[in-house]
Amino acid sequence: MDIVLDNLDLMGRALGYTLLFFVIAAVLSLTLGTVLAAMRVGPVSVLRRAAAAYVTLVRNTPLLVVLLFFRVAGPKVGLNFSFVDLQLGQWRINNIFAALVVGLSIYTAAFVCEALRSGINAVPLGQAEAARAIGLPFGGVMTQVVLPQAIRASVPPMASVQIALLKNTTVCGALGVVELFARMRSFTNNDPTQRVGIFIAFAALFVVLVLIVSFVANRLERRWRIA
Amino acid sequence: MSGAPSVLFDAPGPATVRRHRLYTVLALVVLAGALALVGWRLYVEGQFAYDQWEVFITPRFVEAILVDGVWVVLQMAAAAVVLSLAFGLVFGVAKLAESPLVRLPATYVVEFFRAVPVLLLMILIFFSYGVTRGDSGAYWSVVLALMLYNGSVLAEVVRAGILAVPKGQSEAGLAIGLARGRVTRLILLPQAVKIMLPSIISQCVVALKDTSLGYAVAAPGLVRLMSSIYQQFGNQFATLVVTAALYVLMCSALTLLATWVQRRYVGEKQALAISETAGTDAATGKVV
């Protein structure tokens, strides 16, 4: 544990990178996932099939392989994100960071799409039928009747997806950004005798982060609950 | 809602059919354009050249990929699944115990391992056990880490499965004088297995995908083998396409199996929805 307490600045920066990965990828994956879910339930069959293919393909590929695509295969074909290079004091957001964020978002979007779709499936059949009966078109059915209920129903699975994303940011640590996992590995490597203390410190940090995300989701679910 | 998209909109009339046809054409153009752009980009960078893919039709390498890659990954996943089934059975039943002395520790253990990223576990185990034992040390570090994580998820599956057995079953068992342990073992578990099977197979898919994380401790497996191939031949793109395709094939096969088992043994009843992460109640999916 001493090695952790002596290097709190390094730990803090690692935590910062983890949170950056999480927040940016969460926003991007929610956006992309919502578009995919819209395609998936919409009336245009080409888009429906394209979204279904995307979800099947991405869900069955390990995250590490998705990240490697952007990290090592991307630069080979001119996709190197070299336009991203921010330096703020000790912080550096470079092309590696950008590639990994894109990979994480692309991977998580498939699960976001499924969470939203399960929310849409949870809305009782009569709701959509009633909406159609009063003459609403597809857009109206979705925005006025189905989605407001579906979004409420999809808060728990969405929280689960985002918690998984939080844990998945550790995979980025294996590919060249020093976030919590990479920091833990280097601490452990420097002093294997303290491995248990180091593990407990980092694991506790993750447990706290998971609890925070789950707390926020819980609050949202309660605030949005109808009656 | 049944998931059939047609519930959300009426059968289209002539004007809508025309509009949808327009959307379809536009969507096709955009999708085809995007694919063509990617394809052209890959072509320009020479990714379709024979030398990029040659290694994957060379018998020596195909054999290595199948034996040292696919087979090792399958073994790893199988070992992890068997061990995590045992772990999940013990902790799932313990979570349902009457005595809080058994129930609470089991609950905390399961919640802890569901909240901690599997890579952290892997590093701890690797530096405690695997680091001096070469390849087999790294291999078992991956298997044990996957056992702890997947075992915790399976503990929730077992718990939810047992709870899904109708209450009359355990009441009837108790009424004829069986002890609680025997009720669980003789009456509840055999019926719960049927309900749990699809979830267990889905968890196999997760374990199979997570074997790739062994990369972080240089464990043997498909990704380590493939990364040595692209480091030698410089064909990163082709190698990763093959890697992804192999994983997608293995996982899709398992998913198909899960669907078939669901239909064959569980019927139209809804599958157990088990949340894979901590912070959410596994049985109901509700956020806690």
Side-chain angles (χ1 to χ4, degrees):
Chain A
M1 197 73 101
D2 292 345
I3 194 169
V4 177
L5 297 176
D6 292 344
N7 293 290
L8 277 181
D9 55 329
L10 293 179
M11 182 104 170
R13 210 176 318 145
L15 175 65
Y17 277 118
T18 293
L19 291 178
L20 271 179
F21 270 126
F22 172 60
V23 172
I24 302 177
V27 171
L28 290 180
S29 67
L30 280 172
T31 316
L32 181 57
T34 310
V35 173
L36 282 171
M39 287 163 66
R40 189 100 205 248
V41 300
V44 183
S45 75
V46 177
L47 292 180
R48 223 159 44 213
R49 280 192 206 140
Y54 176 98
V55 170
T56 314
L57 202 63
V58 173
R59 279 220 304 182
N60 286 324
T61 312
L63 173 62
L64 182 73
V65 176
V66 176
L67 292 180
L68 280 174
F69 256 108
F70 288 92
R71 180 76 178 75
V72 304
K76 280 286 193 175
V77 292
L79 180 73
N80 46 27
F81 298 98
S82 53
F83 52 89
V84 183
D85 196 2
L86 295 171
Q87 179 104 38
L88 288 168
Q90 303 264 30
W91 296 80
R92 199 185 159 120
I93 305 295
N94 58 4
N95 56 333
I96 296 176
F97 183 90
L100 295 176
V101 162
V102 169
L104 267 181
S105 310
I106 294 230
Y107 180 79
T108 312
F111 295 88
V112 168
C113 169
E114 287 303 279
L116 271 179
R117 207 166 65 97
S118 80
I120 292 175
N121 285 337
V123 178
L125 204 65
Q127 294 287 321
E129 285 174 348
R132 275 164 50 207
I134 59 170
L136 287 175
F138 174 68
V141 174
M142 290 304 280
T143 58
Q144 306 293 314
V145 178
V146 174
L147 276 183
Q149 302 180 61
I151 287 173
R152 287 176 170 83
S154 59
V155 168
M158 197 64 81
S160 178
V161 168
Q162 297 303 329
I163 290 170
L165 166 64
L166 177 63
K167 291 163 63 186
N168 280 338
T169 57
T170 52
V171 183
C172 299
L175 296 175
V177 173
V178 186
E179 47 65 83
L180 284 174
F181 165 68
R183 183 46 69 201
M184 181 226 177
R185 185 164 65 171
S186 85
F187 279 166
T188 313
N189 212 0
N190 290 344
D191 190 353
T193 54
Q194 296 187 42
R195 59 185 179 260
V196 175
I198 296 170
F199 171 76
I200 290 175
F202 282 83
L205 206 49
F206 268 100
V207 170
V208 170
L209 290 177
V210 166
L211 287 178
I212 292 175
V213 177
S214 143
F215 176 77
V216 171
N218 188 7
R219 277 300 138 121
L220 285 181
E221 199 193 6
R222 261 201 240 165
R223 179 182 295 184
W224 290 345
R225 183 180 295 159
I226 335 154
Chain B
M1 224 169 288
S2 64
S6 57
V7 182
L8 296 172
F9 37 83
D10 289 304
T16 316
V17 168
R18 272 198 301 279
R19 201 155 40 86
H20 284 176
R21 212 170 282 148
L22 178 68
Y23 291 159
T24 305
V25 171
L26 282 179
L28 273 178
V29 168
V30 171
L31 288 176
L35 282 180
L37 189 71
V38 172
W40 177 75
R41 191 71 236 166
L42 292 175
Y43 178 75
V44 168
E45 300 286 345
Q47 296 300 325
F48 294 129
Y50 178 70
D51 61 340
Q52 296 281 321
W53 300 83
E54 188 185 4
V55 56
F56 299 111
I57 48 171
T58 310
R60 195 158 53 87
F61 283 98
V62 172
E63 195 192 325
I65 290 168
L66 290 180
V67 174
D68 300 330
V70 172
W71 182 234
V72 169
V73 162
L74 287 175
Q75 277 178 327
M76 232 180 204
V81 166
V82 169
L83 289 174
S84 43
L85 273 175
F87 183 97
L89 198 63
V90 170
F91 280 86
V93 172
K95 273 192 83 171
L96 287 171
E98 291 265 277
S99 153
L101 280 179
V102 180
R103 193 179 62 232
L104 290 180
T107 309
Y108 288 131
V109 165
V110 168
E111 287 303 310
F112 178 75
F113 286 124
R114 284 204 314 154
V116 175
V118 81
L119 272 174
L120 300 192
L121 293 171
M122 214 176 269
I123 288 294
L124 176 68
I125 298 172
F126 181 68
F127 278 97
S128 306
Y129 163 82
V131 75
T132 54
R133 289 177 172 80
D135 264 8
S136 98
Y139 179 98
W140 285 104
S141 306
V142 177
V143 170
L144 290 178
L146 290 182
M147 173 197 86
L148 291 175
Y149 169 64
N150 289 298
S152 306
V153 178
L154 285 179
E156 295 292 352
V157 172
V158 169
R159 178 168 160 271
I162 290 180
L163 288 178
V165 177
K167 207 164 181 297
Q169 296 289 324
S170 67
E171 285 170 353
L174 291 173
I176 58 168
L178 291 177
R180 288 202 73 87
R182 307 193 81 192
V183 170
T184 307
R185 196 157 46 83
L186 298 175
I187 296 182
L188 297 180
L189 275 178
Q191 300 185 66
V193 166
K194 210 174 82 168
I195 308 174
M196 297 179 322
L197 263 181
S199 302
I200 292 176
I201 299 176
S202 320
Q203 204 54 39
C204 295
V205 176
V206 175
L208 186 57
K209 280 169 67 185
D210 281 354
T211 54
S212 66
L213 297 178
Y215 178 80
V217 292
L222 193 54
V223 176
R224 189 180 80 173
L225 183 78
M226 289 304 205
S227 69
S228 70
I229 287 182
Y230 68 60
Q231 273 153 20
Q232 187 180 348
F233 296 94
N235 57 346
Q236 277 82 348
F237 178 78
T239 312
L240 287 170
V241 167
V242 174
T243 314
L246 287 171
Y247 266 110
V248 168
L249 266 180
M250 292 189 277
C251 295
S252 314
L254 273 176
T255 308
L256 281 181
L257 181 66
T259 324
W260 180 80
V261 168
Q262 165 85 15
R263 255 209 316 270
R264 177 83 173 69
Y265 292 101
V266 190
E268 292 302 307
K269 262 191 297 177
Q270 244 202 336
L272 284 177
I274 299 298
S275 153
E276 266 167 40
T277 48
T280 49
D281 183 87
T284 58
K286 287 271 174 280
V287 185
V288 289

